[in-house]
Amino acid sequence: MEHYCINCGGHFKDAKFDHHYGRCNKCSKAQRKRDRKRRAIFDEYESVQVGDLMEWCGYMCVCTQVLTDTGWVVHVPKLGTKQIVYVWSDDTLESFSLRLRPYRVNNETDKK
């Protein structure tokens, strides 16, 4: 049986078709790569729980909710707002850690 790729419009046999994404293996390669990068971010941040101190874009914040496979909700006391920090499809672990990371006290980072 042949399957139709919704991305390139070709017809492919089972061996050349990715049933998870509904596309041929060539077209789904980029999507699989993005998913691996997102999964790496969630694996790195799996220990983050509600109440943890975090740093969002340079501001101290508190994690108020964990959004499964989406991101985190944080409250930023200095701004008096809550922010939803999404993990975008083009994020890498390095780029995401610039936006959200565990909070470190300044005296831990200062070296004398």
Side-chain angles (χ1 to χ4, degrees):
M1 178 177 177
E2 291 191 344
H3 302 281
Y4 177 73
C5 176
I6 58 174
N7 194 44
C8 67
H11 290 78
F12 299 91
K13 299 204 184 245
D14 278 340
K16 301 267 183 182
F17 193 77
D18 188 339
H19 295 279
H20 182 72
Y21 295 106
R23 299 176 179 178
C24 67
N25 288 340
K26 184 177 180 182
C27 292
S28 68
K29 182 178 180 180
Q31 185 67 35
R32 289 192 313 264
K33 185 176 181 181
R34 281 192 294 269
D35 285 349
R36 283 194 307 272
K37 287 180 181 180
R38 289 185 81 236
R39 185 79 291 171
I41 293 169
F42 284 111
D43 290 345
E44 181 72 23
Y45 285 77
E46 73 181 345
S47 64
V48 174
Q49 299 175 348
V50 172
D52 285 354
L53 279 178
M54 303 294 287
E55 184 180 334
W56 170 76
C57 296
Y59 293 102
M60 183 200 68
C61 60
V62 179
C63 180
T64 58
Q65 187 178 359
V66 177
L67 305 173
T68 309
D69 291 334
T70 307
W72 293 267
V73 178
V74 295
H75 174 70
V76 185
K78 189 170 186 175
L79 302 177
T81 62
K82 85 170 186 178
Q83 298 290 326
I84 300 175
V85 184
Y86 292 105
V87 178
W88 301 113
S89 62
D90 59 345
D91 273 336
T92 63
L93 187 55
E94 293 79 26
S95 67
F96 184 77
S97 67
L98 294 176
R99 288 189 287 142
L100 184 71
R101 62 180 160 262
Y103 184 74
R104 295 185 307 176
V105 181
N106 286 338
N107 61 8
E108 290 178 4
T109 59
D110 291 343
K111 293 184 179 179
K112 294 184 178 186

